[in-house]
Structures are given as C-alpha cells and as structure tokens.
Amino acid sequence: MSLVEQIAQADERGLAASGLACLDRCLPLLGGDDELLRPLWARLADGSDWAGDLSRVHETLAPSAPSAPSVPSGSSDDEAARLARRMLESAPAERTADAVRPWADACSVASLRIHRLLDPAADGGPVPDGGPAPADVDAGRAGDTADLPPLVAAELRRQAAVLELLAGHGAHGLRRALEVSVEGRRVLRAVVSRRARSAAEPGA
C-alpha cells in the first residue's frame, strides 16, 4: 500500500500520530527541545484534548523565542525551517478525522520536502516554499521509491512505519511510533549540525 493510500485509510489517531511524528522529526529546524512534543504524544495515548499543550508548543517555538534558530535567508535551510514551522502552525487544535487528515497529508509532503532539501545526494535546487512538491517526492508517496535520495527514502519508510503501527496496534502502537520518530529526529539533527559546521568553515 502506498503512503497516499495509508493516509487515506487511517483513522483519527493514526492521522494525528502521522502528522505529529513528522513535526517531531523536524524539531531540530525549529530549535525545539527533544521532549517538547511529549505531552502531545501523551494526549494521543489517552485520547484527551491536546489544544492546551499545542498552544504551549506554539509559545515555546514562536519565531521571537530565544530557542528559534537563525539560518541564512533564502537558503535551503531557511526554506526547510519555514516548511517545519508551517507544519506546527497548521496543526488543528480540534483533533477530528476531518481536521487532521489534510494536516497529516500536508505534513507528509512537507517533511519529505525538508529531507530532500537537506539531503546532500538530492539533485537540483530547492523548490520555492508553497510551490509544488518535487516529482520524486510525489512519486515516492505514490509507491515509486526507485529514484529517491537516501535521506528522503528513509523518511518515507518512517512515515509508512508510523501509519502501519497505528493501523495494526491502535494506541498500543504509539510507543513504537515515537521511537521511530526519535530515531528520525536524531538523523535530521545530525544533518542540520553538519550543514551548520560546513557553513561556518572559512571559505564556505
């Protein structure tokens, strides 16, 4: 089953977990602490409202907050950070299937675009924020993974794994879904750190 089909068939909890996991993996771009989204995961586990916790995350990651990272304007890193921020800003306070399905789908695309922007093996320049997703991202979501750069292919697998865990185990799959997300966050944090060191080198 393709990722597009998985999202189309997922229930409210699976969709919310899918979008939250994408955002969680991209936290390094927003300067967020690794534990910042844990309360939202807890709300998914017990089925309670997450609006208050979501509001606190917004406040913590506001662009003017001390933790907000500074990246060169117009760079791939800048576009990636804007895509990550859009994921957060569009998160629905009311966690219904109708509200979270388009959010989960948009988060899937945004996270794959972010990984493509930051993947050193990806071809070509960045796609302007708000523009169409690169063809290989759309193809990967539809099931054709042959031409995906390594970082993008790994993110696609993580997205599929989260949806599979929730579809197969419901709330009991959340712990493993979080572990999958934490693994992906560590990978992206390492990529972001490596790019920052490279940009800081003389002559970069």
Side-chain angles (χ1 to χ4, degrees):
M1 189 184 299
S2 72
L3 189 66
V4 171
E5 292 170 327
Q6 286 181 283
I7 292 173
Q9 295 183 19
D11 63 10
E12 173 268 324
R13 181 180 274 122
L15 292 166
S18 177
L20 181 59
C22 288
L23 178 59
D24 205 339
R25 287 191 292 276
C26 295
L27 267 181
L29 292 164
L30 300 176
D33 181 87
D34 285 351
E35 301 298 313
L36 183 62
L37 301 184
R38 284 298 182 104
L40 299 180
W41 285 100
R43 297 292 175 253
L44 285 187
D46 62 23
S48 59
D49 178 69
W50 74 2
D53 290 307
L54 184 60
S55 179
R56 283 186 282 276
V57 172
H58 277 285
E59 293 172 4
T60 302
L61 295 181
S64 59
S67 62
S70 175
V71 294
S73 177
S75 68
S76 294
D77 301 72
D78 179 51
E79 184 181 345
R82 282 188 285 120
L83 287 167
R85 184 161 298 283
R86 181 177 295 173
M87 275 194 269
L88 171 61
E89 292 174 347
S90 60
E94 186 178 359
R95 213 173 57 239
T96 63
D98 287 344
V100 294
R101 193 179 307 280
W103 178 64
D105 191 62
C107 286
S108 168
V109 174
S111 187
L112 289 166
R113 287 180 65 173
I114 285 169
H115 284 75
R116 191 181 190 279
L117 283 164
L118 303 182
D119 193 326
D123 295 326
V127 175
D129 186 18
D136 53 0
V137 167
D138 282 341
R141 280 169 34 90
D144 181 6
T145 62
D147 297 323
L148 291 179
L151 201 63
V152 182
E155 168 60 12
L156 187 70
R157 288 193 297 271
R158 291 188 184 98
Q159 290 189 18
V162 167
L163 287 162
E164 288 166 4
L165 285 163
L166 271 294
H169 304 284
H172 297 292
L174 283 169
R175 181 180 294 276
R176 178 59 186 139
L178 178 56
E179 292 173 356
V180 170
S181 184
V182 168
E183 176 194 11
R185 190 197 318 132
R186 288 171 179 161
V187 170
L188 194 64
R189 190 178 295 282
V191 171
V192 171
S193 296
R194 186 161 57 247
R195 290 172 65 89
R197 289 195 301 270
S198 177
E201 290 176 357

